[in-house]
Amino acid sequence: MPFCSKCGAELLPNDLFCAKCGAQNDISEPVIPQMTKEESLAFADKLIAEYRKLEKLDAEIEENNRQIARPIEAYPKQHAAFKYFWPFLIYAAVSCTVFYFLAGLFGRSLGLAAILYLLSLASIPFFLIFGGVRAVRIRNELNAAEVSFLNNKKDHLIELKKENSILQTKRGKVVHELKEYENMLPPSLRSSAQISKVKIFIQSGKAENFADAVEKMGRR
């Protein structure tokens, strides 16, 4: 029994148009040839392998398209140096306060007090200069990393698009190979899972051959 290539409804031998959806059908194409049980199982295995190949390609293409569709920043994220500099302001204030307190504590020793006062004053520019240099270095490294990451992401997207082009070519070949079997199967059975059920029908004895299994599966 032939099926409509669009909706999967059963067609009569002389039906030019599908009674269900109205699609035009080429009734000159052959239907499922008669096969023995062994031939039917071998044919089912062949279709299962082909549909699994097609489904794998579809999954890979879909995953690539999902990654390609992710938004990509037009400009890399810019880090500010002050984010890494402000702790040194605290260090400078604390060190200045500590040395100043120690200078007052040891004020009886003029020489030691003078040294501590100098250290108190010197600690401020020391921490500010050291912190500024370190903050700028960290900022530059992070900004460079952001630019590198963005460039790598763009390169990755280019590779994904190239890979998709190759996968689409492979998919086209598989679809072409399956084209000759479309008139044998309704759309509802055109998958590895459904053909596996057809195979189980034959193995269990519920169907005599592939054509019988497809007809019975189509009625369910």
Side-chain angles (χ1 to χ4, degrees):
M1 179 71 69
F3 299 94
C4 174
S5 59
K6 184 176 181 180
C7 70
E10 291 185 359
L11 300 174
L12 295 176
N14 296 322
D15 280 346
L16 293 176
F17 297 91
C18 175
K20 183 176 180 181
C21 69
Q24 185 174 0
N25 292 275
D26 183 3
I27 59 174
S28 63
E29 294 183 359
V31 295
I32 304 175
Q34 291 297 320
M35 310 177 194
T36 64
K37 182 176 181 179
E38 290 72 20
E39 290 173 338
S40 296
L41 292 175
F43 184 63
D45 286 334
K46 178 182 178 180
L47 288 181
I48 290 171
E50 289 297 316
Y51 277 112
R52 281 179 178 169
K53 189 187 301 183
L54 180 62
E55 289 158 4
K56 182 181 179 182
L57 289 170
D58 285 339
E60 291 176 354
I61 292 171
E62 183 180 356
E63 174 60 21
N64 286 351
N65 286 335
R66 186 179 64 82
Q67 294 187 44
I68 292 171
R70 287 177 180 173
I72 183 171
E73 299 83 359
Y75 302 97
K77 180 181 178 181
Q78 294 295 314
H79 294 268
F82 185 76
K83 178 181 179 181
Y84 311 98
F85 175 70
W86 70 264
F88 290 92
L89 294 176
I90 298 176
Y91 301 155
V94 171
S95 63
C96 178
T97 302
V98 170
F99 283 124
Y100 192 83
F101 174 77
L102 293 175
L105 185 63
F106 297 101
R108 294 179 181 179
S109 175
L110 295 179
L112 181 58
I115 293 174
L116 292 173
Y117 278 127
L118 288 175
L119 289 174
S120 175
L121 295 175
S123 64
I124 296 176
F126 171 78
F127 280 106
L128 294 182
I129 294 173
F130 177 78
V133 172
R134 185 171 183 275
V136 169
R137 180 177 60 81
I138 294 175
R139 179 203 63 187
N140 292 341
E141 289 177 353
L142 291 175
N143 286 343
E146 290 288 344
V147 172
S148 177
F149 174 77
L150 185 60
N151 290 336
N152 289 338
K153 191 172 182 180
K154 290 179 179 178
D155 291 340
H156 181 59
L157 291 180
I158 293 174
E159 290 300 321
L160 285 177
K161 291 177 181 179
K162 290 180 180 178
E163 183 180 342
N164 256 12
S165 178
I166 296 173
L167 292 175
Q168 290 287 3
T169 301
K170 292 181 178 179
R171 184 185 186 280
K173 292 180 180 179
V174 176
V175 170
H176 179 72
E177 291 173 0
L178 289 170
K179 197 75 175 177
E180 60 179 300
Y181 306 120
E182 282 189 356
N183 67 306
M184 304 181 185
L185 299 169
S188 60
L189 296 184
R190 295 173 190 172
S191 69
S192 62
Q194 293 301 317
I195 299 298
S196 295
K197 292 180 181 179
V198 170
K199 181 180 177 181
I200 293 173
F201 254 59
I202 301 171
Q203 289 176 324
S204 64
K206 294 181 180 179
E208 296 180 1
N209 51 39
F210 194 88
D212 186 32
V214 168
E215 185 175 355
K216 290 178 178 178
M217 286 283 294
R219 292 174 182 174
R220 295 185 65 183

